[in-house]
Amino acid sequence: MTSQPTSPSLVARLLRSPTLVYTVLAGLSRASSILMGPFLTRRLTPAEYGDLAFYQSTAAVLSMVLSAGLTAAVSRFYFEGDNREEALRASGSVARGMLATVLGGALLCAALISLTHLSSDTRHHALATLVSGVGLALVSIPVGLTRARQRPFQVAAFASIEFGGLLLSTVGLVGVAERGLDGALEALALSGVLSGVAAGAYVVSLPGQLNRAMLARGLRFSAPFVPHFIANQLLTLGDRWFLKANGLESQLGPYALASQLAAPIGLVIGAHNDTASARLGEAVRTGGSDQLRLGFPSLARGYLMLAVPLCGVVLVASPLVPWVFSSRFESAVGFLPLLLLSILIETLYYPATNVLFFANATTRIPVLTGLSGLASLVLNVLLIPKYGAWGALVARVIAMTLRTALALSFARAAMRVTAVP
């Protein structure tokens, strides 16, 4: 008696889900700060932990500036035309140009840091941050392109290199060698070196040659994303800079920990966005721009269906923070409700900008992020000196509300519809 074929089990379907793979594997680099939180909060003071958060956010901004936004062009050019081989060749050409751009910019920054009158500790921290930023910029090439090609396990491979290097070096330098903040920053730099080498090897393996005309085209496409990226950093990380500038490192540590506790939500939303945007790109490739209007309602609901329950879980679990982390960071629990509210508001920003991206309306993206980034800057300047971390949270909620409202408005205009779910 022959057995009848059975449909794939739920577990098998889940294991093949790109969103799940991105969440569990490709998100390792972003999850590193969460997984290592209990380790670091017991070895660093709140002020040192705040300094680490400051340098990490600076590395993220450096990666955006050094790359000149070219990651967007590498991914977008892959979706142009029906011939995927030609599209991959175009992406490979831009990737080579981005590699040269990042390394050239890093050399200039290193020279500037060396020539500037800084204390030895500050110079050491700045150089470690620069190396980390270079690694972040370069690894975005293979991660972005393999996501566009919907190859989640390749994404996971590069994320695992970054995460593994950071985990091992942090344990060795902070735990074994007891180098404190210096060791934590050196671990970021070592992880950046590993990521950069792996990313460079990937770029060299891509088809396509370095071409000035293609690089110039990529820069024209990506230039609007540079102010967009910078404004986004002001929105998501700028509050840390203002807290440090006002000498509030002791509040910055718990504030940064609260952000990391909420980070799993962004991890899942980001993973979902990787899958949803790639599928939307393929739908537009085959079905035309009408797919943006037809698919947006279900697209937006998918993001909300993930974000709402995840925010609830984090809020319910928040009283466990003093037991899992050091009791010195207990104030992080109080920061979570407003932080989670800002994340919920931000959720609809992602599907709206995907519409703008594939509708070739990217020039509107820096407008909305620039306006909301400026609002965040003004609010942080006004509120943080008087209210500290609570002022930073209020500024974040208001700025995120403005950014999401503008994104939805521009997306409606791009799709020529009158309502959004």
Side-chain angles (χ1 to χ4, degrees), residues 394-416:
V394 172
R396 177 182 287 250
V397 170
I398 295 173
M400 288 299 183
T401 301
L402 177 62
R403 184 176 72 158
T404 298
L406 289 171
L408 290 170
S409 176
F410 288 153
R412 282 199 299 267
M415 295 183 297
R416 298 184 179 277

Side-chain angles (χ1 to χ4, degrees), residues 17 58 90 153 164 168 207 240 325 361 365 395 400:
S17 165
T58 302
F153 286 102
L168 293 175
R240 302 181 185 187
F325 302 88
I365 295 177
M400 288 299 183

Side-chain angles (χ1 to χ4, degrees), residues 10 14 28 46 74 97 112 120 178 223 232 293 298 325 337 347 391 405:
L10 176 61
L14 285 172
L28 283 176
V74 172
L112 181 62
S120 58
E178 298 183 347
N232 265 344
R293 176 178 55 83
S298 61
F325 302 88
T347 298

Side-chain angles (χ1 to χ4, degrees), residues 84-380:
R84 285 181 173 80
E85 292 183 3
E86 288 295 326
L88 183 59
R89 189 172 290 110
S91 292
S93 177
V94 177
R96 282 175 165 78
M98 178 175 164
L99 178 63
T101 300
V102 170
L103 294 179
L107 288 175
L108 290 175
C109 289
L112 181 62
I113 292 171
S114 300
L115 294 173
T116 304
H117 294 291
L118 301 171
S119 68
S120 58
D121 284 344
T122 302
R123 180 176 289 107
H124 179 63
H125 294 167
L127 287 172
T129 302
L130 173 61
V131 175
S132 174
V134 170
L136 290 173
L138 293 181
V139 81
S140 69
I141 300 173
V143 169
L145 188 52
T146 51
R147 281 173 179 165
R149 299 174 72 187
Q150 299 188 59
R151 296 184 176 182
F153 286 102
Q154 289 186 15
V155 182
F158 288 100
S160 298
I161 292 171
E162 183 182 7
F163 171 75
L166 182 58
L167 177 64
L168 293 175
S169 54
T170 299
V171 171
L173 292 168
V174 179
V176 178
E178 298 183 347
R179 288 187 53 77
L181 177 62
D182 286 346
L185 291 171
E186 289 160 2
L188 287 173
L190 286 172
S191 175
V193 170
L194 289 174
S195 300
V197 170
Y202 175 83
V203 171
V204 171
S205 72
L206 290 172
Q209 299 298 321
L210 179 59
N211 182 286
R212 289 184 179 180
M214 184 61 73
L215 178 58
R217 181 178 168 229
L219 286 169
R220 285 195 299 271
F221 176 84
S222 299
F225 287 93
V226 176
H228 160 68
F229 287 141
I230 293 174
N232 265 344
Q233 296 304 318
L234 282 175
L235 279 165
T236 57
L237 301 173
D239 43 16
R240 302 181 185 187
W241 301 342
F242 286 104
L243 285 168
K244 181 172 176 60
N246 283 275
L248 299 170
E249 290 91 349
S250 60
Q251 292 187 39
L252 175 55
Y255 184 86
L257 178 60
S259 299
Q260 289 161 4
L261 293 173
I265 303 170
L267 180 69
V268 176
I269 296 300
H272 177 71
N273 188 59
D274 295 335
T275 304
S277 60
R279 288 175 176 168
L280 184 62
E282 291 293 347
V284 172
R285 188 207 299 270
T286 57
S289 58
D290 282 349
Q291 296 302 313
L292 298 175
R293 176 178 55 83
L294 296 173
F296 184 75
S298 61
L299 183 70
R301 280 194 298 271
Y303 285 82
L304 288 173
M305 289 173 65
L306 282 173
V308 172
L310 287 173
C311 285
V313 169
V314 172
L315 191 61
V316 169
S318 62
L320 298 175
V321 169
W323 285 270
V324 178
F325 302 88
S326 170
S327 59
R328 295 175 297 176
F329 292 80
E330 187 173 3
S331 57
V333 178
F335 297 148
L336 275 171
L338 277 179
L339 189 60
L340 294 173
L341 175 61
S342 73
I343 290 173
L344 279 177
I345 294 169
E346 184 186 13
T347 298
L348 287 176
Y349 163 79
Y350 294 102
T353 50
N354 280 336
V355 168
L356 296 176
F357 189 76
F358 290 109
N360 292 319
T362 55
T363 54
R364 299 179 184 179
I365 295 177
V367 174
L368 68 93
T369 51
L371 290 173
S372 48
L374 179 61
S376 175
L377 175 66
V378 172
L379 289 167
N380 278 312

